[in-house]
Amino acid sequence: MKALIDKLHQYNNLSGGEMLDLLENLDEDIRKYLISKAHETRVKHYGKKVFMRGLIEFTNYCRRNCKYCGLRVSNKKVQRYRLSFEQIIATCEQGYRLGYRTFVIQGGEDEFYNDDNIISIVKKIKTKFPTCAVTLSLGEKSYESYKKYYDAGAERYLLRHETASEELYDSLHPGMSFRERVQCLYNLKEIGYQVGAGFMVGLPNQTNRDYVQDLQFLQELQPHMVGIGPFIPHKDTPLAKETRGTLDKTITLLAIIRMLLPEVLLPATTALGTIDPFGREMGLKAGANVVMPNLSPVEVRDKYALYDDKVCTGEEAAECRECIDNRIMQAGFETDMSRGDSIQWERR
Ligand code: 5AD
Ligand code: SF4
Ligand code: FES
């Protein structure tokens, strides 16, 4: 197994068979070795920097019905909210004062906002804060819509592929299709965005073979960012009684992704921080190099409940910033408040 990890570390590549072999045969020592090699890779490309993104969850309305997600349209227990244009801009202002230079505008697939609304939000942020990057995360849209947002100034887009196993994808997403998801990701790349894909770990019936498909999908797509986190059940969804994804598996996959895509921007996600008090720190030590503290107004925080027990929901933006800063330092890393563009994208 060590030889496989060395190969992965040196060539940033493994065949599907080798990936499966690795995933099936990890004992504690091998895992430690894998994590140390991932850390080496991260230090080589990014040093000990951790990039900070200010996350603004601006609407929890969603027309989709993903079986795992607390915001699914069938969940009538959610108190829905939308931030107004002014609230969004005020939240960015506060984030700017705290030092953030990337804003992630994330929401459910909410048809209340048309393309012109999104464009005015993007334009306003870009004119008010010309040194900041705008990342959108609004789900599936047409090529034309993505292009318009890009032309308005948005430079990054997050759209997790959720799982690259087509059968599993289609079973979890009523009325959606994996092929359309993939098409969206390729459209975003073609337009010129820095693109973030990603998947959940520990979904019901997900196997190592499925993770191999995820890894191969990432190798093919070559995204600039990859968001992965454990699946965590939400009490008011059809998957309420399922078991959550594990810390170990998520960390293992982060480490492998760091070596497969050595320059990728890889967040230590909130979901990882939710299943273990030191989950994000462990992620950082296994190759993750981004954190996305929540800037949304505290009154709406707990309403953006994708899963149960989400961390940071009670904290003010400034408190969350301080908390995460300390955690990053304690773990032996340095916060980097710059825009933190993908190295690969800067070289284009
Ligand atoms: N557990 C973990 N992650 C989830 N997401 C949605 N619901 C859950 C859940 N129950 C993730 C999806 C989505 C991202 C915003 O949150 O991957 O893309
Ligand atoms: Fe909507 Fe995203 Fe939740 Fe699916 S995962 S129901 S698209 S918010
Ligand atoms: Fe958000 Fe600690 S990181 S409160």
Side-chain angles (χ1 to χ4, degrees), residues 62 64 66 68-69 71-72 108:
C62 188
R64 302 292 196 182
C66 310
Y68 45 81
C69 178
L71 302 186
R72 62 204 305 269

mmCIF file of all heavy atoms in Angstrom, residues 62 64 66 68-69 71-72 108, ligand 2:
data_model
loop_
_atom_site.group_PDB
_atom_site.id
_atom_site.type_symbol
_atom_site.label_atom_id
_atom_site.label_comp_id
_atom_site.label_asym_id
_atom_site.label_seq_id
_atom_site.Cartn_x
_atom_site.Cartn_y
_atom_site.Cartn_z
ATOM 1 N N CYS A 62 -36.110 26.404 -1.883
ATOM 2 C CA CYS A 62 -35.530 25.561 -2.922
ATOM 3 C C CYS A 62 -36.618 24.775 -3.612
ATOM 4 O O CYS A 62 -37.508 24.226 -2.964
ATOM 5 C CB CYS A 62 -34.485 24.605 -2.333
ATOM 6 S SG CYS A 62 -33.591 23.731 -3.635
ATOM 7 N N ARG A 64 -36.040 22.128 -5.400
ATOM 8 C CA ARG A 64 -35.618 20.737 -5.546
ATOM 9 C C ARG A 64 -36.040 19.894 -4.353
ATOM 10 O O ARG A 64 -36.452 20.425 -3.326
ATOM 11 C CB ARG A 64 -34.095 20.677 -5.687
ATOM 12 C CG ARG A 64 -33.553 21.466 -6.859
ATOM 13 C CD ARG A 64 -33.966 20.840 -8.179
ATOM 14 N NE ARG A 64 -33.141 21.382 -9.273
ATOM 15 C CZ ARG A 64 -33.313 21.037 -10.543
ATOM 16 N NH1 ARG A 64 -34.266 20.200 -10.895
ATOM 17 N NH2 ARG A 64 -32.528 21.556 -11.471
ATOM 18 N N CYS A 66 -34.040 17.013 -3.093
ATOM 19 C CA CYS A 66 -32.950 16.082 -2.772
ATOM 20 C C CYS A 66 -33.273 15.350 -1.465
ATOM 21 O O CYS A 66 -33.618 15.992 -0.471
ATOM 22 C CB CYS A 66 -31.631 16.839 -2.637
ATOM 23 S SG CYS A 66 -31.305 17.933 -4.037
ATOM 24 N N TYR A 68 -31.665 13.925 0.814
ATOM 25 C CA TYR A 68 -30.826 14.085 2.012
ATOM 26 C C TYR A 68 -30.950 15.462 2.651
ATOM 27 O O TYR A 68 -30.510 15.685 3.765
ATOM 28 C CB TYR A 68 -29.348 13.844 1.644
ATOM 29 C CG TYR A 68 -28.915 14.530 0.361
ATOM 30 C CD1 TYR A 68 -28.573 15.879 0.338
ATOM 31 C CD2 TYR A 68 -28.884 13.827 -0.844
ATOM 32 C CE1 TYR A 68 -28.217 16.519 -0.829
ATOM 33 C CE2 TYR A 68 -28.523 14.456 -2.023
ATOM 34 C CZ TYR A 68 -28.194 15.790 -2.010
ATOM 35 O OH TYR A 68 -27.834 16.424 -3.166
ATOM 36 N N CYS A 69 -31.538 16.427 1.955
ATOM 37 C CA CYS A 69 -31.375 17.825 2.358
ATOM 38 C C CYS A 69 -32.573 18.390 3.110
ATOM 39 O O CYS A 69 -33.724 18.264 2.660
ATOM 40 C CB CYS A 69 -31.109 18.664 1.118
ATOM 41 S SG CYS A 69 -30.937 20.422 1.501
ATOM 42 N N LEU A 71 -33.544 21.334 3.285
ATOM 43 C CA LEU A 71 -34.219 22.449 2.609
ATOM 44 C C LEU A 71 -35.105 21.998 1.449
ATOM 45 O O LEU A 71 -35.703 22.816 0.753
ATOM 46 C CB LEU A 71 -33.175 23.465 2.092
ATOM 47 C CG LEU A 71 -32.245 24.070 3.141
ATOM 48 C CD1 LEU A 71 -31.369 25.154 2.511
ATOM 49 C CD2 LEU A 71 -33.033 24.645 4.307
ATOM 50 N N ARG A 72 -35.204 20.698 1.246
ATOM 51 C CA ARG A 72 -36.003 20.166 0.135
ATOM 52 C C ARG A 72 -37.425 20.722 0.177
ATOM 53 O O ARG A 72 -37.991 20.970 1.231
ATOM 54 C CB ARG A 72 -36.010 18.634 0.147
ATOM 55 C CG ARG A 72 -36.625 18.033 1.404
ATOM 56 C CD ARG A 72 -36.108 16.618 1.663
ATOM 57 N NE ARG A 72 -36.303 15.746 0.512
ATOM 58 C CZ ARG A 72 -37.384 14.999 0.313
ATOM 59 N NH1 ARG A 72 -38.395 15.026 1.168
ATOM 60 N NH2 ARG A 72 -37.481 14.230 -0.755
ATOM 61 N N GLY A 108 -30.600 28.003 -2.040
ATOM 62 C CA GLY A 108 -31.333 26.928 -2.693
ATOM 63 C C GLY A 108 -31.704 27.373 -4.103
ATOM 64 O O GLY A 108 -31.461 28.511 -4.496
HETATM 65 FE FE1 SF4 B 2 -32.088 22.379 -2.773
HETATM 66 FE FE2 SF4 B 2 -29.415 22.130 -2.699
HETATM 67 FE FE3 SF4 B 2 -30.936 21.125 -0.715
HETATM 68 FE FE4 SF4 B 2 -30.982 19.956 -3.116
HETATM 69 S S1 SF4 B 2 -29.175 20.092 -1.736
HETATM 70 S S2 SF4 B 2 -32.810 20.442 -1.852
HETATM 71 S S3 SF4 B 2 -30.766 21.709 -4.492
HETATM 72 S S4 SF4 B 2 -30.685 23.278 -1.231
#
